[in-house]
């Protein structure tokens, strides 16, 4: 009984519950380390490393919109040409309504919306690191691998929950399709499109947030999207008269 009492008293002393003033040196050192870590994380990162979301630079926004529009246009033309060549109808004219829909979506969503969204990701990672400094402190350093992986994970979540439905609805309705047909195509193709997008875009977005400067990330994504449209076009169009997931 006395051994159990002594053991319980030692455990309370070790945890610092018996007398805070007599806390053991190891626990005091851990508390000092945690306090220093919280203060360090609270100052990460500097505004030079993580640019503010607003105000939006008009010149950079115009550049992103222009690049996204041109690459979206070229990507859809290439996809339609490859479709017709594969089907043996190389002389068939382009689907102009689809070309207009894809180009418009690329202009508004990729060039405009992603211009702002890509600036939000680092701030979300920083906010999470401030809330959980002991677990997510490595994610707060803007140049770290953990930070870029966190941004890529957020983008992957956005791709599945926001982008894919927005693309199918936007491009489908702009192409003149009925709403029920668009929703049916979305239900059928959401899973394979999201799986392929994860394998393609997650490594690229890690590279994008790790290597590419903030002002060039949307343009890098638009350039990679040119190749992505060729890869995903057949999967998204197989047996369906519906728009493909040409961007992610």
């Amino acid at each position: 009984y006395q051994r159990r009492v002594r053991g319980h008293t030692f455990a309370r002393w070790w945890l610092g519950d018996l007398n805070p003033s007599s806390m053991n040196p190891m626990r005091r050192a851990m508390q000092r380390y945690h306090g220093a870590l919280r203060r360090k994380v609270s100052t990460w990162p500097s505004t030079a490393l993580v640019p503010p979301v607003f105000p939006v630079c008009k010149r950079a926004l115009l550049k992103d919109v222009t690049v996204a529009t041109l690459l979206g246009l070229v990507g859809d033309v290439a996809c339609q040409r490859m479709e017709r060549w594969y089907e043996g109808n190389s002389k068939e004219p382009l689907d102009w309504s689809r070309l207009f829909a894809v180009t418009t979506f690329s202009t508004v969503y990729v060039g405009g919306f992603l211009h702002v969204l890509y600036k939000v990701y680092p701030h979300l990672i920083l906010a999470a690191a401030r809330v959980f400094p002991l677990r997510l402190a490595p994610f707060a350093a803007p140049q770290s691998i953990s930070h870029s992986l966190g941004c890529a994970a957020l983008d992957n979540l956005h791709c599945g929950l926001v982008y894919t439905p927005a693309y199918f609805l936007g491009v489908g309705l702009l192409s003149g399709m009925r709403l029920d047909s668009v929703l049916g195509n979305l239900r059928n193709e959401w899973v394979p499109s999201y799986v392929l997008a994860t394998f393609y875009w997650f490594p690229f977005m890690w590279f994008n947030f790790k290597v590419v400067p903030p002002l060039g990330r949307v343009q890098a994504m638009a350039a990679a999207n040119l190749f992505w449209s060729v890869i995903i076009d057949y999967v998204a169009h197989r047996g369906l008269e519906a728009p493909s997931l040409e961007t992610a």
Side-chain angles (χ1 to χ4, degrees):
Y1 173 76
Q2 290 179 353
R3 286 195 298 269
R4 289 198 298 269
V5 171
R6 287 196 297 268
H8 179 67
T9 303
F10 176 79
R12 291 183 60 194
W13 171 79
W14 177 262
L15 295 175
D17 296 333
L18 185 63
N19 186 1
S21 61
S22 61
M23 194 178 303
N24 64 6
M26 179 64 72
R27 182 165 177 82
R28 288 200 301 270
M30 290 299 296
Q31 284 195 346
R32 287 196 298 268
Y33 169 74
H34 292 167
L37 186 59
R38 290 189 180 94
R39 288 191 297 271
K40 185 177 181 180
V41 171
S42 65
T43 61
W44 280 348
S46 65
T47 56
L49 296 177
V50 176
V53 180
F54 297 104
V56 176
C57 178
K58 295 182 179 179
R59 179 176 298 179
L61 177 60
L62 180 61
K63 189 174 182 179
D64 287 344
V65 169
T66 303
V67 172
T69 301
L70 294 177
L71 292 180
L73 176 68
V74 172
D76 189 64
V77 170
C79 289
Q80 293 195 41
R81 289 300 183 188
M82 289 189 64
E83 287 178 7
R84 282 144 180 77
W85 174 81
Y86 181 79
E87 296 171 356
N89 301 323
S90 57
K91 296 183 179 181
E92 184 179 349
L94 295 175
D95 186 349
W96 295 103
S97 61
R98 171 184 159 183
L99 181 62
F100 168 77
V102 172
T103 305
T104 302
F105 184 86
S106 181
T107 301
V108 176
Y109 199 97
V110 178
F113 179 68
L114 293 185
H115 175 84
V116 178
L117 185 64
Y118 282 3
K119 295 181 180 180
V120 175
Y121 289 160
H123 292 277
L124 294 178
I125 298 297
L126 176 60
R130 287 175 174 172
V131 175
F132 305 101
L134 301 183
R135 295 180 179 272
L136 301 180
F139 289 83
Q143 302 301 324
S144 66
I145 296 179
S146 300
H147 179 83
S148 56
L149 286 176
C151 293
L154 286 178
D155 184 74
N156 182 261
L157 186 64
H158 147 260
C159 180
L161 299 180
V162 180
Y163 175 81
T164 303
Y167 182 88
F168 276 92
L169 289 172
V171 174
L173 295 177
L174 287 174
S175 300
M177 296 178 60
R178 296 178 56 184
L179 180 60
D180 56 348
S181 179
V182 173
L183 294 177
N185 187 37
L186 175 61
R187 285 191 295 267
N188 294 333
E189 296 297 340
W190 184 87
V191 173
S193 299
Y194 180 59
V195 170
L196 286 174
T198 300
F199 280 103
Y200 184 88
W201 287 109
F202 190 87
F204 177 81
M205 294 310 296
W206 168 80
F207 171 82
N208 198 8
F209 282 94
K210 175 62 179 174
V211 178
V212 181
L215 294 179
R217 287 168 182 166
V218 174
Q219 301 169 37
M221 181 267 178
N225 180 65
L226 185 64
F227 300 96
W228 165 252
S229 61
V230 177
I231 297 174
I232 199 61
D233 186 77
Y234 172 75
V235 176
H237 273 92
R238 51 187 175 186
L240 295 173
E241 295 182 359
S244 63
L245 183 63
E246 294 180 355
T247 55

